[in-house]
Amino acid sequence: MSQDTVTPPASNFIRNIVEADNASGKWGGRIETRFPPEPNGYLHFGHAKSILLNFGLARDYGGVCHMRFDDTNPTREEQEYVDAILEDVRWLGCDWGEQLNYTSDYFDRLCAYAETLIEGGHAYVDSQNAEAMRATRGTLTEPGRDSPYRNRSIEDNLDLFRRMRAGEFPDGTHILRAKIDMASPNMNLRDPAIYRIRHAHHHRTGDAWCIYPMYDYAHCVSDALENITHSLCTLEFESHRPLYEWFLERLADAGHFSRPLPQQIEFSRLNLSYTVLSKRKLIQLVQEGHVDGWDDPRMPTLKGARRRGFTPQGFKLFLDRIGISKSDSLIDMVVLEDCMREDLNARAERRIAVLDPLRLVLVNVPEDHVEECFAPNHPQKPELGKRMVPLTRELWIEREDFMETPSKGYFRLRPDGEVRLRYGFIIKCTGFDKDEAGKVSCVYAEVDMDTKSGTPGSESRKVKGNIHWLSAAHAVEAEVRMVDRLFSVPAPGSRREGDAPELERDFLDDINPHSKSSTRAMLEPSLGSAAPESTYQFERHGYFVADRKDHKPGHAVYNRTVTLRDSWAK
RNA sequence: UGGGCCGUCGCCAAGCGGUAAGGCACCGGAUUUUGAUUCCGGCAUUCCUAGGUUCGAUCCCUAGCGGCCCAGCCA
């Protein structure tokens, strides 16, 4: 094999299955997957795992991945979500080619196949109401009881089903059920529903239908219709697999599909510390106003991630790193953050930003003097060039880079201490002022003119400290949003050691009160005119992105994507 | 207490009868005009437990223990 291949994908049980299928010739080397979201909400980090897995697997084995909207429940699905989902999947870099599908595209066939199920004696119309069905389903340990309508004739079932479709009955009066086994130890096999009556407007089919298929029936049929080879889903569908196979086997027997039939394979969903990934909780956060919408940079949604400055490449790195398996896991948020750092470190140009400005006056620099200094745009990529940063008598430095009484190990500026102004000169502190409140308001220093960075001999004198700065006369003011983790505990809402047995915790109580703050910062002038979504490393601080929505000419707004690692305990 | 699935280093995760990959984290040390990056080195005599089969078991068998999922006309 060639040496220049990118990092080979890690082995996992799904790839093993695909490779075994390829080896046995099961699909003739073909692989087709699908990403099947329901358009009833925004995509989150958990979906990213599924998207990258499905599209990545297809790409790696020369196949295609279909985009498919599982839109079988008209009461909760909307076009708005379809558009948003497509935008997110595209943003992640995935390409579905011609395969943009909707389960609703198959309503005709789904309905026709339901009739063949009835004709084969595999389905019946039940006329019990929902409560009666629940009451006769049994429990985990007790078998259910057959419906009194279970043995209707095929003719009656067909007639009833057609009249359901024709709109003769109100919602909830009849339902088409699979005739399997009311005593099955697998609850999903106790005559599950196939079609329910719903007089509702569908976002794509309008009012053409008043009966809609259930997930278990629609999904496997859609997979078969699209010639999907490997149908990947999360672990909670494991006990639905026998049903998936039950429908397809019967429809194949009836001649609608040929074998081999698509195979459902389950993997464990993503759990991430310091956040929540359940649709219900995410909706709650938005609806109750705990965050500023679905695209709040703190939200674990793809819209939020994008606004925060997370990158598709970072997500790919993350998913390769955590792997695919069937064990329940809780991935530490630092892993995701670190992947973003890794990607951004390689690509982001460096800029200077002073987030908490403190005035520094260089006492031996004349009022109107402008000294041109040069800073590399990327320390590891000299080909990206340098830029000029002007140094003048009055500068902004970071407030935390000066300490009147330094703590142990501190090696930045201090009274009578020396430090290098990054890309500039070594300076020595000669004094400082304090305001009425006792807060340092201005620092004075003297420049050693023989130490300019880049000039011969400038390296002869070494100082440990190295701080960043900005010319007060040149810097532009900006709003910088310090985004942090949304929750302050690893598992929001979970019990903690020492909790009283009767105590119930609410994940909302674990929201990090400091997850969002905003500051007026000083930036290099070019940062004011950068395009929205431009990403930079603010030296010694972290990675920041020009806000996609609010960053405008004359009104710079940056979001902190992630801080730099800091081995100096803050 | 029915059924299904899972249990390998702090967090992930390979391995599938031949004597414990890798990543992240962590700990050393080197380089560094970002306390960043990069680089080198260290990091499971042991695979949930207990028995058994075998020349040999994380892999097979048995019995336990722990965790997750299933009782929507949701997906």
Side-chain angles (χ1 to χ4, degrees):
Chain A
M1 283 311 283
S2 60
Q3 298 283 313
D4 58 342
T5 45
V6 221
T7 329
S11 154
N12 64 51
F13 78 100
I14 297 179
R15 302 186 93 93
N16 291 348
I17 291 171
V18 171
E19 278 168 26
D21 288 347
N22 281 163
S24 72
K26 178 179 181 184
W27 297 104
R30 186 170 65 85
I31 169 164
E32 248 162 291
T33 57
R34 100 271 92 110
F35 172 61
E38 180 186 15
N40 73 338
Y42 290 85
L43 261 25
H44 55 66
F45 294 0
H47 292 110
K49 178 177 182 180
S50 177
I51 293 166
L52 264 14
L53 171 64
N54 277 293
F55 281 91
L57 201 66
R59 185 203 57 229
D60 291 348
Y61 290 95
V64 293
C65 178
H66 303 199
M67 183 68 214
R68 180 166 78 227
F69 287 98
D70 217 336
D71 54 354
T72 58
N73 188 346
T75 60
R76 32 185 257 172
E77 293 150 8
E78 293 168 27
Q79 187 60 38
E80 172 201 346
Y81 295 123
V82 170
D83 300 336
I85 288 169
L86 253 18
E87 185 182 55
D88 285 343
V89 176
R90 224 178 271 123
W91 177 71
L92 277 179
C94 297
D95 178 14
W96 51 82
E98 302 294 297
Q99 297 292 344
L100 173 56
N101 306 311
Y102 297 80
T103 301
S104 54
D105 293 340
Y106 313 133
F107 280 175
D108 280 319
R109 272 174 287 185
L110 252 355
C111 188
Y113 296 166
E115 290 198 1
T116 95
L117 249 18
I118 294 171
E119 285 159 358
H122 302 304
Y124 64 98
V125 173
D126 195 347
S127 305
Q128 299 184 102
N129 58 29
E131 300 83 90
M133 271 181 64
R134 195 180 318 118
T136 53
R137 188 154 22 235
T139 67
L140 294 180
T141 51
E142 302 157 21
R145 297 190 308 277
D146 286 1
S147 163
Y149 304 98
R150 200 170 195 263
N151 293 312
R152 284 213 251 235
S153 68
I154 288 174
E155 293 67 36
D156 285 352
N157 283 139
L158 219 42
D159 175 61
L160 251 12
F161 182 59
R162 286 175 179 158
R163 289 165 62 197
M164 278 169 63
R165 178 183 180 173
E168 288 188 28
F169 310 116
D171 290 5
T173 51
H174 302 277
I175 190 159
L176 184 70
R177 287 229 254 177
K179 190 189 270 193
I180 306 180
D181 178 9
M182 287 306 291
S184 172
N186 180 344
M187 298 289 291
N188 299 300
L189 264 26
R190 321 247 260 227
D191 290 9
I194 299 177
Y195 261 101
R196 78 285 219 182
I197 301 173
R198 275 267 202 294
H199 291 271
H201 187 84
H202 186 279
H203 72 106
R204 298 195 81 237
T205 60
D207 298 313
W209 295 85
C210 64
I211 57 171
Y212 293 91
M214 299 290 292
Y215 165 86
D216 282 310
Y217 173 64
H219 202 89
C220 57
V221 171
S222 302
D223 283 345
L225 288 171
E226 292 182 18
N227 295 309
I228 297 302
T229 56
H230 305 267
S231 181
L232 314 182
C233 61
T234 44
L235 250 28
E236 65 269 28
F237 292 102
E238 212 153 18
S239 58
H240 293 241
R241 192 185 340 131
L243 231 198
Y244 183 101
E245 290 162 355
W246 189 91
F247 283 123
L248 293 188
E249 287 295 343
R250 271 147 197 81
L251 264 9
D253 286 346
H256 290 124
F257 302 124
S258 57
R259 295 181 170 86
L261 270 358
Q263 179 185 4
Q264 174 179 311
I265 302 167
E266 312 84 13
F267 62 93
S268 59
R269 65 189 312 144
L270 173 67
N271 294 303
L272 249 193
S273 65
Y274 295 98
T275 192
V276 293
L277 289 177
S278 91
K279 201 170 269 185
R280 195 209 102 222
K281 288 175 181 167
L282 261 18
I283 287 172
Q284 197 179 346
L285 287 169
V286 173
Q287 287 184 344
E288 295 179 4
H290 300 104
V291 295
D292 307 320
W294 289 98
D295 64 350
D296 185 306
R298 295 167 296 172
M299 284 287 275
T301 53
L302 295 184
K303 291 260 177 280
R306 181 171 182 179
R307 229 178 136 191
R308 174 162 174 181
F310 280 7
T311 62
Q313 295 89 337
F315 276 109
K316 288 194 182 86
L317 200 56
F318 174 65
L319 290 154
D320 285 344
R321 195 163 283 181
I322 63 174
I324 297 291
S325 76
K326 296 189 71 162
S327 39
D328 297 309
S329 61
L330 178 63
I331 310 291
D332 199 313
M333 183 63 91
V334 302
V335 179
L336 213 211
E337 292 169 347
D338 207 65
C339 287
M340 295 303 161
R341 279 191 194 99
E342 191 168 323
D343 179 50
L344 261 11
N345 173 55
R347 301 187 297 116
E349 287 202 3
R350 297 325 83 142
R351 292 292 185 272
I352 298 166
V354 177
L355 301 183
D356 186 7
L358 170 64
R359 181 79 72 171
L360 172 70
V361 176
L362 301 176
V363 296
N364 59 339
V365 171
E367 291 279 0
D368 52 1
H369 181 70
V370 176
E371 180 77 24
E372 295 194 340
C373 298
F374 293 87
N377 289 321
H378 191 119
Q380 279 83 44
K381 295 184 174 175
E383 67 275 19
L384 291 178
K386 295 180 179 226
R387 64 190 189 283
M388 196 279 281
V389 285
L391 180 139
T392 56
R393 179 181 168 88
E394 295 201 13
L395 307 178
W396 292 116
I397 62 169
E398 213 63 66
R399 180 165 290 280
E400 63 174 26
D401 283 341
F402 174 79
M403 277 186 100
E404 182 185 355
T405 48
S407 52
K408 196 158 80 59
Y410 185 85
F411 55 62
R412 279 112 89 171
L413 201 57
R414 65 177 73 195
D416 299 317
E418 284 192 329
V419 84
R420 176 175 285 281
L421 292 179
R422 195 162 165 73
Y423 311 127
F425 300 83
I426 290 177
I427 60 169
K428 177 171 182 163
C429 177
T430 58
F432 59 93
D433 295 334
K434 281 185 176 181
D435 60 19
E436 319 74 55
K439 192 177 168 193
V440 175
S441 55
C442 183
V443 178
Y444 299 92
E446 206 163 74
V447 173
D448 180 341
M449 300 309 281
D450 296 330
T451 58
K452 185 175 182 185
S453 294
T455 61
S458 69
E459 318 237 345
S460 60
R461 208 145 68 77
K462 291 279 184 191
V463 287
K464 179 89 169 143
N466 191 309
I467 67 173
H468 62 270
W469 50 273
L470 241 25
S471 164
H474 300 262
V476 298
E477 207 177 334
E479 177 185 351
V480 173
R481 297 170 181 167
M482 308 301 253
V483 180
D484 209 339
R485 295 170 176 182
L486 225 202
F487 294 90
S488 51
V489 300
S494 69
R495 303 179 55 78
R496 300 219 249 300
E497 236 179 75
D499 276 1
E502 67 279 8
L503 180 70
E504 297 260 323
R505 284 193 176 273
D506 184 343
F507 79 105
L508 295 173
D509 296 335
D510 291 325
I511 288 181
N512 176 7
H514 312 294
S515 63
K516 188 178 89 167
S517 61
S518 181
T519 182
R520 300 302 303 181
M522 304 307 292
L523 310 180
E524 272 187 54
S526 68
L527 255 15
S529 53
E533 295 201 84
S534 304
T535 281
Y536 297 97
Q537 183 197 95
F538 289 178
E539 293 201 24
R540 302 212 297 136
H541 283 302
Y543 299 94
F544 292 75
V545 64
D547 191 83
R548 203 180 161 207
K549 269 187 174 168
D550 302 333
H551 180 82
K552 303 258 161 58
H555 181 68
V557 180
Y558 280 83
N559 299 324
R560 182 173 66 195
T561 305
V562 62
T563 62
L564 249 30
R565 293 169 82 181
D566 185 5
S567 55
W568 167 252
K570 279 204 168 160

